[in-house]
Amino acid sequence: MIQSQRKLQKLDFLVRNPDYLADLIISRWQDGSLPAERLLDARAVFKEREPELHTYRMLRNSHGAYEAFDNALSVLRHLGLIAVRRAGRTSDEHVRRRDYFLLQAGADQAQRLRESEAVLAWYDQQTAYVAAAVEGMTGAQLKEQQYGQPEYAATPVHQMIGGITERVRERLDEALAQEELA
């Protein structure tokens, strides 16, 4: 389960933007939230995952990186692969959040795709890196972290959020050298 659309949006951003993912890993290592071994994940994102080839930039709207999920998720819901539940109603028209559940049929379908489409292995690995990097973080914390990036925060509304690859490469090299993992 992923609790809240905000968190789902922020996780989607990290999957699609490996440079921001690597930077999050480095930042969480620096603040003591992640062990030094996680820096190897950040290195893998750059050395093995080729962020230039696996980056799918997002537009910034008034609440940050955002892409409407309705169409994509409606197909998955229709096929019985996921469920979306409203939680925390404030009125009949307004809910506090939506929670997203992967159903058993969805897990089974994902496994079949893993076995038949080797090219999709990139997504498995990328989501594993994201899951390890964000463990214990809320959607609000992820939003705060993303807005802490000058490039992200300065992006005008309705413009593509730019990359931070070169700056993160430098930070990663310094962190790996500090931990003698280079």
Side-chain angles (χ1 to χ4, degrees):
M1 176 190 64
I2 296 175
Q3 194 174 57
S4 89
Q5 185 178 34
R6 176 190 291 171
K7 187 165 187 178
L8 184 59
Q9 291 284 352
K10 302 310 173 196
L11 296 174
D12 181 41
F13 179 80
L14 290 172
V15 169
R16 294 167 55 161
N17 293 274
D19 49 352
Y20 283 86
L21 171 60
D23 195 70
L24 173 64
I25 293 168
I26 297 164
S27 294
R28 296 207 69 215
W29 161 76
Q30 284 180 321
D31 73 15
S33 299
L34 291 177
E37 295 77 37
R38 292 270 79 108
L39 291 172
L40 299 175
D41 294 347
R43 182 174 69 188
V45 165
F46 279 106
K47 304 276 188 214
E48 301 166 16
R49 314 313 292 174
E50 303 174 28
E52 293 81 6
L53 297 177
H54 291 289
T55 297
Y56 307 96
R57 297 285 178 215
M58 295 176 78
L59 291 176
R60 178 165 180 246
N61 81 3
S62 56
H63 300 288
Y66 176 83
E67 188 164 299
F69 288 141
D70 295 343
N71 290 340
L73 294 181
S74 68
V75 172
L76 298 174
R77 286 176 71 184
H78 175 74
L79 295 173
L81 304 178
I82 67 165
V84 180
R85 305 274 188 259
R86 294 175 179 208
R89 287 188 186 278
T90 58
S91 71
D92 285 343
E93 295 84 34
H94 187 266
V95 295
R96 291 190 192 270
R97 69 169 199 267
R98 288 177 175 77
D99 296 339
Y100 300 84
F101 297 86
L102 177 65
L103 302 176
Q104 187 59 51
D108 294 344
Q109 180 63 28
Q111 185 57 40
R112 285 192 290 278
L113 284 170
R114 282 183 192 95
E115 294 166 1
S116 66
E117 303 296 331
V119 70
L120 298 178
W122 181 87
Y123 290 99
D124 269 345
Q125 187 59 63
Q126 193 73 355
T127 57
Y129 291 147
V130 169
V134 305
E135 185 174 357
M137 294 182 77
T138 65
Q141 290 169 319
L142 289 168
K143 180 179 179 178
E144 180 181 328
Q145 191 276 335
Q146 288 172 356
Y147 273 99
Q149 300 291 346
E151 298 85 351
Y152 184 104
T155 301
V157 173
H158 304 298
Q159 297 296 313
M160 202 67 68
I161 298 169
I164 57 173
T165 302
E166 291 311 312
R167 180 167 54 85
V168 176
R169 279 188 208 279
E170 291 173 14
R171 287 187 72 209
L172 178 60
D173 289 344
E174 291 170 12
L176 291 169
Q178 181 178 332
E179 290 292 336
E180 300 179 350
L181 294 170

